[in-house]
Amino acid sequence: MALFKTRSAAVFGIHAHAIDVEVDMYTGSARDFVTVGMPDTAVRESRERIKSALLNSGFGYPNKAVTINLAPANVRKEGAGFDLPMAIGILGAMGVAKSADKYLFVGELSLDGTLRPVRGVLSIAACAKRCGVANLIVPADNAAEAAVTQGIQVFGMRHLTEVVACLTEPGRFQPVVPAPASPLSQASTFPDFREVRGQASAKRALEVAAAGSHNVLMIGPPGSGKSMLAKRFAGILPPLEFQEALETTQIHSVAGLLPGGTGLLSQRPFRAPHHTVSYAGLIGGGSGMPRPGEVSLAHNGVLFLDELPEFARNVLEMLRQPLEDRSVTVARSNMTLSFPASFILLCALNPCPCRH
């Protein structure tokens, strides 16, 4: 078989879209490895990782030319998550791997064939369910995250040989069982609000703000306890509901901030960017594919701006729309993406520039 097709997904914003990976193998030089479909640098470099991974995993590499098409071809593809589906497509064209119609693949390959974690797997799992794909194969470090999605079977793999074995003998492997939710397991990571002595008025104000999701501005001289109270504020917020935890985990997954082996986040985020943060870092954007900013990473949690007057004026002006609409829209020439941004704004400042 010279033509083989696998499925993968690409993340745009906080959502993923299905990508078909078509591999064509034909007579020619083994050095002819062409990837089309608007790949970025990381995707184009995958040819070197795939060649080494196939050779070091014992599969060998064919003495033929390979053309890989990532469809639809008019959408830019980013990241190393296409390594695994492209490698499986080559093995399928070689006749080593079986049909992969019932699977969606995502994962980065090391040179020895080990699977490395990638960003946005929770969004990719939701995409697989939406497209009717029953099985999702991901790196083992992403398995707990993907297993949160109900209605699909998630297989966490550590090596390329395991993926091929799963396609050949699917009965040998069991899907990952979602870990039970434990909202209290991380409650102690925030400083304890009960440790604060005195400050009765400030504590009462923060309790009211936590109960009603109100924004807070704290004004006082240095050393009066503004930052100390702010760091304990997230600990008195109500626990995340399931849908809130799902949205928060999805954003952190896309941003690459989710620790390996983590399922749903169980505590509300607390983000405290430095006053030198740029508008793209605060609101979102950046070069290439726009990424969520601090206002989105604080979604369903707290955004703390310490030393508020030190922030650039144009950066603070950018907060108007997220505070009103609870979302951020980043427009680029090739796409427009929206990120959720529903957070409690907590600010602290000194009463005058002399810091007294």
Side-chain angles (χ1 to χ4, degrees), residues 142-200:
N142 294 129
E145 171 190 349
V148 171
T149 305
Q150 300 177 350
I152 62 172
Q153 295 188 108
V154 177
F155 297 88
M157 301 296 177
R158 298 190 178 278
H159 200 273
L160 180 60
T161 54
E162 294 183 4
V163 179
V164 176
C166 182
L167 296 177
T168 307
E169 304 176 65
R172 287 177 47 193
F173 297 87
Q174 297 298 321
V176 177
V177 178
S182 55
L184 300 179
S185 62
Q186 299 182 10
S188 62
T189 58
F190 288 123
D192 197 338
F193 196 77
R194 292 178 296 181
E195 295 175 349
V196 181
R197 297 291 182 263
Q199 301 281 12

Side-chain angles (χ1 to χ4, degrees), residues 22-35 51 61-68 86 89-90 93-94:
E22 302 169 335
V23 178
D24 185 23
M25 188 177 297
Y26 51 92
T27 302
S29 172
R31 292 178 296 179
D32 295 336
F33 191 119
V34 181
T35 305
K51 286 181 180 179
Y61 191 80
N63 189 24
K64 293 184 178 181
V66 175
T67 298
I68 298 180
M86 292 166 67
I90 292 175
M94 293 168 57

Side-chain angles (χ1 to χ4, degrees), residues 236-261:
I236 63 173
L237 293 175
L240 285 169
E241 298 180 358
F242 177 78
Q243 190 59 38
E244 290 178 328
L246 200 63
E247 293 175 352
T248 305
T249 305
Q250 195 170 9
I251 296 171
H252 282 71
S253 173
V254 168
L257 299 178
L258 203 62

Side-chain angles (χ1 to χ4, degrees), residues 54-323:
L54 292 179
L55 290 171
N56 292 326
S57 299
F59 297 111
Y61 191 80
N63 189 24
K64 293 184 178 181
V66 175
T67 298
I68 298 180
N69 178 41
L70 305 176
N74 62 339
V75 178
R76 186 169 180 80
K77 320 300 186 306
E78 289 190 353
F82 295 103
D83 288 3
L84 180 59
M86 292 166 67
I88 295 298
I90 292 175
L91 291 174
M94 293 168 57
V96 176
K98 301 294 183 181
S99 175
D101 295 338
K102 299 179 180 179
Y103 293 86
L104 189 145
F105 304 88
V106 63
E108 178 184 344
L109 284 174
S110 296
L111 298 185
D112 62 352
T114 303
L115 294 182
R116 300 173 59 87
V118 295
R119 297 182 298 106
V121 170
L122 183 55
S123 300
I124 293 173
C127 173
K129 179 181 179 181
R130 188 171 61 248
C131 296
V133 180
N135 304 291
L136 174 63
I137 294 182
V138 299
D141 288 342
N142 294 129
E145 171 190 349
V148 171
T149 305
Q150 300 177 350
I152 62 172
Q153 295 188 108
V154 177
F155 297 88
M157 301 296 177
R158 298 190 178 278
H159 200 273
L160 180 60
T161 54
E162 294 183 4
V163 179
V164 176
C166 182
L167 296 177
T168 307
E169 304 176 65
R172 287 177 47 193
F173 297 87
Q174 297 298 321
V176 177
V177 178
S182 55
L184 300 179
S185 62
Q186 299 182 10
S188 62
T189 58
F190 288 123
D192 197 338
F193 196 77
R194 292 178 296 181
E195 295 175 349
V196 181
R197 297 291 182 263
Q199 301 281 12
S201 298
K203 289 195 293 184
R204 176 58 178 165
L206 291 178
E207 289 168 358
V208 172
S213 297
H214 302 298
N215 301 323
V216 181
L217 175 62
M218 296 185 290
I219 304 177
S224 58
K226 303 185 298 297
S227 300
M228 180 266 296
L229 286 166
K231 292 175 181 178
R232 286 161 169 77
F233 178 70
I236 63 173
L237 293 175
L240 285 169
E241 298 180 358
F242 177 78
Q243 190 59 38
E244 290 178 328
L246 200 63
E247 293 175 352
T248 305
T249 305
Q250 195 170 9
I251 296 171
H252 282 71
S253 173
V254 168
L257 299 178
L258 203 62
T262 302
L264 282 180
L265 293 176
S266 58
Q267 65 178 8
R268 294 184 181 272
F270 179 84
R271 305 293 299 181
H274 192 260
H275 60 77
T276 57
V277 64
S278 66
Y279 71 89
L282 186 66
I283 302 301
S287 59
M289 191 72 65
R291 302 281 186 244
E294 292 291 337
V295 295
S296 296
L297 295 173
H299 181 60
N300 293 323
V302 179
L303 178 66
F304 176 47
L305 303 183
D306 200 3
E307 303 293 346
L308 183 67
E310 301 296 332
F311 284 80
R313 179 175 179 177
N314 66 321
V315 172
L316 294 180
E317 290 290 339
M318 292 284 182
L319 285 173
R320 292 179 181 270
Q321 187 249 342
L323 287 172

